[in-house]
């Protein structure tokens, strides 16, 4: 590890201050809030600037190096699955799927886990009903508990510190794994990523690199902005636009070409390759109308974008039993349509962003999970339904085989 770099950047430059921040927990009145924020502001970085720069360099070479990206992991990471055995199991899955993708395509696959900090969830509904009770929704272990009572769902800022400690454990195992298993000396990861959602937490982990003077978000290698917080004038975009990490941004079905151009301008004004990953997640039907004009506009404007398809978040349905699920067939259809649309505009379809569990879960329908009746067998997700490894393998194989033309 490099020596802890200065946190002075936080005090000097806070472009995210005064901008509206969507999806934030209401916890400022909590007695521990101020102290937790201070402790985070002086905590050592969780990832090093050298690692962040290494990933950014790998991503910048993506198009010329004939490389792909596979970003995968839990929808919501759990505090209870951060010990070394859990992390190793997740890394085994990343390796297995990354190797399969690489073997089938003959290309290097940059592997990025949704892990080491994926503890905060945006929610469409602030509350949910449990019988007679209306209680706050679960927002990830950084904010509250999945246990459904009014007390355990109250946002607790001390969870930010627990998230920092849990992330540290995961990052250490990932670092050892990169050093031991570096196929192309540490070019292809596995790197960490998460949605940079909780502004109190993320802004306290911005550090200035003493050598270059650049600000880095040291909570993860690759932070992304979610669909619900990607407002170009909002705090999340302001935060990510001020740091030198490679950054991602989800692009949902309500996005217009103008919206996305504004985001490109905010997040990658210098038009540097390897800086910005756009992640469409539109749903298998809407993607056909919504994505093509966006890709054309971005390409015509000359922004170098890494296009990564998230074929999961636009295809969530509620089963008869009330469980959230996704049909693998829908996921495959959107993935192939994504690839076709990107390639029709002569852009590089760089790969996939998917939710995959390390265990043999039954959360999505497809393969051995034949129908909705099979879902309760092993449904353990804290949030969205994840593919199991067999289902994810089928998706990767379908992607490699090709075109969605003719799929209905
Ligand atoms: C997610 O990736 O889990 C997520 C919430 O995605 P989105 O912002 O695209 O809805
Ligand atoms: Co999700």
């Amino acid at each position: 590890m490099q020596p802890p770099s200065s946190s002075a950047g936080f005090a000097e430059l806070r472009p995210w201050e005064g901008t509206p921040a969507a999806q934030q927990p209401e916890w400022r009145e909590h007695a521990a809030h101020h102290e937790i924020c201070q402790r985070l502001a002086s905590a050592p970085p969780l990832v090093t600037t050298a690692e962040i720069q290494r990933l950014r360099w790998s991503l910048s070479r993506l198009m010329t190096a004939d490389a792909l990206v596979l970003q995968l992991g839990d929808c919501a990471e759990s505090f209870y699955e951060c010990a070394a055995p859990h992390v190793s199991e997740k890394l085994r899955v990343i390796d297995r799927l990354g190797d399969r993708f690489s073997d089938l395509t003959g290309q290097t696959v940059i592997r990025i886990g949704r892990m080491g900090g994926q503890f905060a969830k945006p929610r469409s509904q602030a509350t949910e009903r449990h019988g007679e009770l209306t209680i706050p929704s679960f927002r990830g272990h950084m904010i509250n508990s999945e246990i459904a009572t009014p007390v355990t769902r109250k946002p607790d800022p001390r969870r930010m510190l627990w998230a920092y400690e849990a992330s540290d454990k995961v990052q250490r195992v990932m670092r050892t794994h990169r050093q031991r298993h570096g196929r192309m000396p540490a070019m292809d990861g596995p790197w960490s990523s998460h949605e940079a959602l909780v502004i109190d937490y993320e802004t306290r982990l911005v550090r200035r690199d003493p050598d270059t003077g650049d600000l880095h978000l040291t909570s993860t290698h690759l932070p992304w902005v979610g669909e619900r917080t990607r407002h170009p004038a909002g705090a999340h975009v302001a935060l990510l636009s001020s740091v030198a990490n490679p950054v991602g941004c989800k692009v949902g079905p309500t996005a217009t070409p103008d919206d996305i151009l504004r985001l490109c301008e905010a997040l990658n004004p210098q038009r540097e390759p390897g800086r910005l990953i756009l992640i469409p997640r539109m749903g298998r039907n809407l993607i056909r109308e919504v994505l093509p004009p966006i890709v054309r506009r971005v390409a015509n404007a000359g922004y170098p974008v890494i296009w990564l398809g998230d074929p999961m978040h636009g295809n969530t349905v509620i089963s008869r039993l009330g469980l959230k699920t996704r049909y693998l067939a829908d996921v495959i259809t959107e993935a192939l349509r994504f690839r076709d649309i990107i390639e029709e505009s002569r852009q590089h379809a760089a790969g996939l962003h998917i939710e995959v569990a390390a265990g043999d879960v039954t959360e999505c329908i497809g393969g051995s999970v034949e129908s909705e009746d099979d879902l309760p067998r092993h449904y353990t997700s804290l949030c969205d339904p994840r593919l199991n490894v067999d289902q994810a393998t089928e998706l990767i194989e379908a992607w490699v085989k090709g075109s969605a033309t003719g799929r209905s």
Side-chain angles (χ1 to χ4, degrees), residues 325-330 332 361-372 374-375 377 387-388 390-392 394:
T325 192
R326 291 156 174 161
Y327 283 80
L328 178 60
D330 293 343
I332 289 176
V361 299
T362 57
E363 298 170 3
C364 295
I365 297 170
S368 66
V369 187
E370 290 175 15
S371 74
E372 292 189 357
D374 294 328
L375 294 175
R377 225 168 48 218
L387 302 173
N388 58 37
D390 288 346
Q391 292 168 332
E394 196 175 326

Side-chain angles (χ1 to χ4, degrees), residues 12 32 68 76 80 106 122 159 173 201 209 241 251 258 302 330 337 361 364 366:
E12 292 158 19
L68 295 164
Y80 310 112
R159 286 178 167 272
V173 179
Y201 178 83
D209 184 321
S241 65
V251 182
D258 281 348
D330 293 343
R337 285 181 178 159
V361 299
C364 295

Side-chain angles (χ1 to χ4, degrees), residues 21-24 71 114 117-122 142-143 193-203 205-206 217-230 234-241 243 245-250 267:
Q23 297 276 342
Q24 298 308 293
Q71 187 175 12
R114 288 173 57 112
Q118 176 57 13
F119 293 115
K121 298 308 299 172
M142 189 188 290
I143 298 173
S193 72
H194 66 249
E195 176 172 350
L197 182 73
V198 178
I199 294 293
D200 279 344
Y201 178 83
E202 303 294 345
T203 57
L205 290 169
V206 173
L217 182 55
T218 62
S219 64
T220 188
H221 300 109
L222 172 71
W224 80 82
V225 195
E227 168 63 6
R228 292 161 193 78
T229 53
R230 63 171 164 77
H236 298 85
V237 171
L239 168 63
L240 294 201
S241 65
V243 296
N245 305 56
V247 298
C249 183
K250 295 287 197 86
L267 293 171

Side-chain angles (χ1 to χ4, degrees), residues 58-299:
S58 297
L59 291 170
S60 73
R61 294 182 66 251
L62 197 69
M63 279 170 263
T64 44
D66 240 5
L68 295 164
V69 176
L70 187 59
Q71 187 175 12
L72 74 161
D74 295 316
C75 179
E77 214 176 349
S78 167
F79 280 176
Y80 310 112
E81 294 180 354
C82 292
H86 291 116
V87 181
S88 300
E89 192 54 38
K90 292 179 189 187
L91 295 176
R92 240 195 308 280
V93 166
I94 292 178
D95 275 342
R96 194 165 138 196
L97 294 171
D99 287 349
R100 183 86 185 123
F101 203 14
S102 181
D103 288 347
L104 287 171
T105 56
Q107 298 188 26
T108 297
V109 174
I110 300 170
R111 298 130 204 250
I112 303 170
R114 288 173 57 112
M115 61 194 289
Q118 176 57 13
F119 293 115
K121 298 308 299 172
R123 300 311 299 255
S124 305
Q125 306 293 332
T127 57
E128 57 191 37
R129 285 206 56 93
H130 287 264
E132 298 289 281
L133 279 181
T134 299
I135 62 172
S137 301
F138 173 56
R139 289 181 173 270
H141 278 167
M142 189 188 290
I143 298 173
N144 60 9
S145 163
E146 75 278 21
I147 297 168
T149 73
V151 172
T152 47
R153 285 287 170 88
K154 245 178 104 75
D156 184 340
R158 290 172 300 178
R159 286 178 167 272
M160 287 193 283
L161 203 55
W162 303 334
Y164 174 90
E165 286 160 1
S167 300
D168 190 35
K169 283 198 237 166
V170 176
Q171 295 286 354
R172 285 172 193 273
V173 179
M174 292 183 84
R175 188 168 294 120
T176 306
H177 192 84
R178 275 194 302 277
Q179 285 157 1
R180 280 210 204 119
H181 298 258
R183 287 147 288 255
M184 305 255 303
M187 171 182 173
D188 44 4
W191 304 104
S192 63
S193 72
H194 66 249
E195 176 172 350
L197 182 73
V198 178
I199 294 293
D200 279 344
Y201 178 83
E202 303 294 345
T203 57
R204 265 71 181 191
L205 290 169
V206 173
R207 303 284 180 271
R208 187 180 294 287
D209 184 321
D211 298 330
T212 62
D214 289 340
L215 296 181
H216 290 82
L217 182 55
T218 62
S219 64
T220 188
H221 300 109
L222 172 71
W224 80 82
V225 195
E227 168 63 6
R228 292 161 193 78
T229 53
R230 63 171 164 77
H231 196 283
H236 298 85
V237 171
L239 168 63
L240 294 201
S241 65
S242 66
V243 296
N245 305 56
V247 298
C249 183
K250 295 287 197 86
V251 182
T254 59
T256 66
D258 281 348
D259 293 340
I260 302 308
L261 216 59
R262 280 184 74 194
L263 280 167
C264 289
E265 178 54 35
L267 293 171
N268 193 13
Q270 309 298 329
R271 300 168 192 242
E272 294 170 70
R275 156 71 175 170
L276 178 59
I277 302 180
L278 290 181
I279 311 168
R281 34 83 82 215
M282 300 189 166
R284 54 172 286 204
N285 291 324
L286 288 172
I287 194 170
R288 287 195 292 196
E289 280 108 67
V290 181
L291 187 57
I294 292 176
V295 180
R296 283 196 294 271
R297 178 75 76 83
V298 169

Side-chain angles (χ1 to χ4, degrees), residues 317-325 372 375 379:
V317 293
I318 306 288
S319 76
R320 265 182 294 106
L321 296 169
L323 287 170
K324 272 204 268 185
T325 192
E372 292 189 357
L375 294 175
Y379 194 112

Side-chain angles (χ1 to χ4, degrees), residues 306-317:
I306 295 170
W307 291 101
L308 211 56
D310 167 357
M312 305 202 64
H313 284 88
N315 294 305
T316 314
V317 293

